[in-house]
Amino acid sequence: MRASKLALAALSFFAMPAFAAGDPDAPSYENGSVWDFTEVKTVDGHFDDYMNWLATQWKAQEEAVKKEGLIKSYKVLVVMDPRDGEGDLMLAVEYPNMAVFDRTVAEQYATQKKIFGSLAKASKEQAERGSIRTIKADYMMREVILK
């Protein structure tokens, strides 16, 4: 009797995934990476200046954050034919999940200090970049992986 109960329990355990797979209410997707897209408009005559900053300081920053495991990847995309007022670049950063944003302020500042040095220096450099580009928008989206 006990052996048959164990056999039945084992069979029902292995059959559960089959039942779940046939569930018409089961979601047809899974959560994927979190993407942040920053729309940037460079000031006329300063596209190459900004691209140089991206290729040097921004890339180094993203590589450092990637090494920390906080991001998976990053990209620079050129908008081929921006409409009036739209950005001419998109900066894309891929995060593994939303959990990377759930860090204490102290942890965030420690990472920033490790990458940028002092907060005052980072703020000054951020303000200086304002003379060659404008951030038009920022879009955070979660990728879904279709089953």
Side-chain angles (χ1 to χ4, degrees):
M1 179 71 136
R2 184 171 181 202
S4 64
K5 284 184 182 178
L6 284 174
L8 183 59
L11 281 174
S12 65
F13 175 76
F14 290 114
M16 277 195 282
F19 289 131
D23 182 358
D25 296 327
S28 58
Y29 63 92
E30 271 303 325
N31 289 332
S33 300
V34 175
W35 284 88
D36 186 67
F37 294 93
T38 303
E39 181 183 359
V40 179
K41 171 79 175 122
T42 57
V43 172
D44 288 345
H46 290 283
F47 182 84
D48 287 336
D49 296 334
Y50 192 65
M51 289 300 291
N52 182 58
W53 177 79
L54 290 172
T56 56
Q57 291 177 279
W58 186 76
K59 182 178 178 182
Q61 160 193 310
E62 297 308 299
E63 285 295 327
V65 177
K66 187 175 177 181
K67 186 176 176 183
E68 293 280 322
L70 299 174
I71 69 170
K72 291 174 73 173
S73 67
Y74 59 94
K75 300 176 185 311
V76 177
L77 306 165
V78 176
V79 179
M80 299 314 292
D81 190 21
R83 293 173 287 204
D84 239 4
E86 290 184 339
D88 50 354
L89 291 170
M90 244 342 147
L91 308 181
V93 179
E94 179 185 17
Y95 297 88
N97 52 46
M98 293 298 282
V100 297
F101 299 104
D102 194 18
R103 301 171 60 223
T104 67
V105 174
E107 290 171 324
Q108 292 171 23
Y109 271 82
T111 301
Q112 289 175 355
K113 186 173 184 177
K114 185 176 178 181
I115 294 168
F116 302 113
S118 75
L119 185 57
K121 177 181 173 265
S123 295
K124 182 178 180 282
E125 290 172 356
Q126 174 80 4
E128 289 169 356
R129 281 190 302 283
S131 67
I132 62 171
R133 63 93 176 105
T134 300
I135 303 298
K136 300 298 287 181
D138 192 78
Y139 309 94
M140 185 169 281
M141 302 172 204
R142 181 186 289 273
E143 180 179 2
V144 293
I145 300 165
L146 304 175
K147 292 182 179 179

